[in-house]
Amino acid sequence: MHEILQNAVIVISSHVVRGSVGNRAAVFALETMGHPVWAMPTIVMPWHPGKGPSTRLRFSDADFESAIDDLVDAPWLGEVSAILTGYFGSPAQPAAVARLIKAAKIANPNLIYVCDPVMGDLGGLYVPQETATAIRDQLIPLADIATPNRYELQWMVGSTLDSNQAIMEAALSLGPPRMLVTSAVPMMTGGTGNLLLSGRNAILAEHRLIDDPPNGLGDLLAAVFLARILEGLDEERALQLATASVFEVLARTTKRGGDELTLESDSGSLSTPMAMVQMRRLMHPAQRPRKPG
């Protein structure tokens, strides 16, 4: 009798031919850290469009939904312990993926769904508003962990977040039990931070800011943090190690002068990072004394 393995991860995001963004980053990281991966592309491109003209190879919504139906009906769905979603290629795709998440949670009630709402940055949305709305309304409510950057969180809650207190209040209002917000407000000079908020903890992990980084850091962080949670680490240790891994890969890529994350050369940084990360505990909004009414 075969032992049923429950450590596969379904990763649903963009695929590039050259580079380490979207599924290329997440799949490599999860496989390096010991997880079988079911990789489902939402769109295929020669490279990240920030590099220059990049043809978008799209799936029809009907074909994408049919492939999702196949996954919903797959006899191996019980092997899946987590689902990670990132970039979507059309506004209809999130609804199809929501069906898969619900089916997978029935097959494995302990399944963890991580929603990385890839929709924008400091410059605003870079997906159509309809796609961003679909991610916010159909996937965020299903998420056990969400990993927006500060600007994506701002868009989803509709207000400017210029302090970590505001970020935490926004994260709580959005709903997922764990929110890992990148591009948080740094407390150390010349730094940048990842802020994790859960029912128990408010933790900021900081490291030195590196200017003009290659794309894919958010994809990588979501995947490595998920891998650490699946290992059974507590969330503070998972945040520390995931932040250290991403910073170390970034620093080594930059030192080489790479224009794409050099994951293949730095796989050791995923499993055993050595970079130092400054960890700070912040006051959780639930612990703040209430003002007299």
Side-chain angles (χ1 to χ4, degrees), residues 188-210:
M188 62 186 253
T189 305
T192 186
N194 298 324
L195 198 165
L196 177 66
L197 187 78
S198 69
R200 289 192 302 273
N201 293 314
I203 309 166
L204 184 66
E206 294 182 285
H207 59 74
R208 178 170 51 85
L209 180 67
I210 294 179

Side-chain angles (χ1 to χ4, degrees), residues 39-158:
M40 173 80 176
T42 53
I43 190 168
V44 177
M45 294 175 283
W47 41 75
H48 188 284
K51 301 281 181 202
S54 185
T55 300
R56 295 166 71 86
L57 303 175
R58 303 170 188 269
F59 303 102
S60 75
D61 289 335
D63 285 347
F64 186 85
E65 288 183 21
S66 292
I68 292 292
D69 287 339
D70 292 344
L71 296 179
V72 167
D73 296 333
W76 315 281
L77 195 58
E79 298 172 359
V80 176
S81 57
I83 296 176
L84 168 62
T85 63
Y87 184 92
F88 285 96
S90 95
Q93 289 178 348
V97 171
R99 286 192 292 108
L100 173 61
I101 294 162
K102 291 170 186 173
K105 286 196 171 192
I106 292 170
N108 176 7
N110 296 318
L111 180 131
I112 297 172
Y113 168 48
V114 180
C115 180
D116 182 11
V118 179
M119 56 175 71
D121 55 27
L122 184 56
L125 290 181
Y126 48 62
V127 300
Q129 187 163 331
E130 299 77 18
T131 302
T133 300
I135 294 169
R136 181 192 65 196
D137 296 350
Q138 296 177 53
L139 294 179
I140 288 288
L142 299 175
D144 301 290
I145 302 170
T147 62
N149 63 38
R150 191 200 326 179
Y151 312 105
E152 289 161 342
L153 182 58
Q154 278 185 176
W155 185 85
M156 288 191 286
V157 300

